Amino acid sequence: MKKTILSMLCAVFSLASNAQGYTQPTQDRPPFGEGKYYVSAGLSGLDLNYTDSQKWHLDLQAKGGYLFMDNWMVTAQLGYDYCQEGAKSLTAGAGLRYYIERNGLYLGAGGNYKHIWHTLDDFQPTVQVGYSFFLNRTVTLEPEIYYNQSLKDNDYSGAGLRINLGIYFE
């Protein structure tokens, strides 16, 4: 199952690299231009990520952002992690995202406060790399690879794949 999903994501990335016309809007403004707002909903888990503390789990995330200058976005996020075996958790965080050369590839970094029920409260620095594939002028499909580093217990550190559906608007 994991190999099938990863193969599909590789196909999406290769199609996205050949479909640059989708990332260029018909307006004069760049796709990641200053003054735009961003909202997204993301899904991770379903065996697309790895931590030592959890087996199967489902991670839902809502994110908002503002492009304060061309190609630079400040973000805020809320998340809920449901785990079949183990503690459930809530996450709140903030970060910064940089888009590379209008092509949709982005790098992100930030910090998350994670509250794990009956276990611990943790601060987790996080890094991401992803691609914003424009489905139309404003809606994007954004696969991203991320890594969260726990500062209290390495069992809660982990890497994974997240699929976001985002909307850019002015």
Side-chain angles (χ1 to χ4, degrees):
M1 180 69 176
K2 288 182 186 179
K3 290 180 182 178
T4 304
I5 292 172
L6 288 175
S7 297
M8 289 174 23
L9 286 172
C10 289
V12 167
F13 277 116
S14 66
L15 285 173
S17 66
N18 292 326
Q20 291 302 313
Y22 287 111
T23 62
Q24 303 300 326
T26 58
Q27 301 172 342
D28 292 335
R29 288 182 53 94
F32 308 109
E34 180 179 352
K36 288 189 177 183
Y37 294 92
Y38 168 79
V39 293
S40 78
L43 174 68
S44 184
L46 301 174
D47 289 335
L48 296 178
N49 57 0
Y50 174 78
T51 63
D52 286 338
S53 65
Q54 300 171 331
K55 302 300 178 208
W56 185 91
H57 67 101
L58 178 68
D59 182 12
L60 301 171
Q61 182 183 65
K63 188 180 284 190
Y66 177 72
L67 282 144
F68 62 93
M69 62 189 299
D70 287 354
N71 300 325
W72 286 95
M73 180 191 296
V74 63
T75 62
Q77 70 181 28
L78 292 172
Y80 174 73
D81 192 2
Y82 173 80
C83 184
Q84 186 176 12
E85 298 175 18
K88 294 149 188 63
S89 64
L90 287 175
T91 304
L96 194 62
R97 185 186 278 188
Y98 176 70
Y99 293 92
I100 301 172
E101 302 256 345
R102 289 183 163 186
N103 67 2
L105 184 65
Y106 63 85
L107 304 172
N112 295 328
Y113 168 78
K114 189 168 192 170
H115 173 73
I116 303 167
W117 271 277
H118 309 295
T119 307
L120 76 134
D121 292 331
D122 194 7
F123 177 76
Q124 296 182 333
T126 182
V127 293
Q128 312 95 25
V129 61
Y131 185 82
S132 294
F133 178 72
F134 277 86
L135 302 174
N136 65 21
R137 280 189 41 223
T138 58
V139 179
T140 59
L141 183 63
E142 300 177 344
E144 75 178 13
I145 298 170
Y146 66 91
Y147 179 75
N148 296 330
Q149 175 65 48
S150 174
L151 296 181
K152 289 194 175 180
D153 187 350
N154 279 339
D155 286 345
Y156 291 99
S157 297
L161 175 68
R162 179 176 292 119
I163 306 295
N164 297 311
L165 183 64
I167 301 172
Y168 292 81
F169 57 94
E170 295 185 44

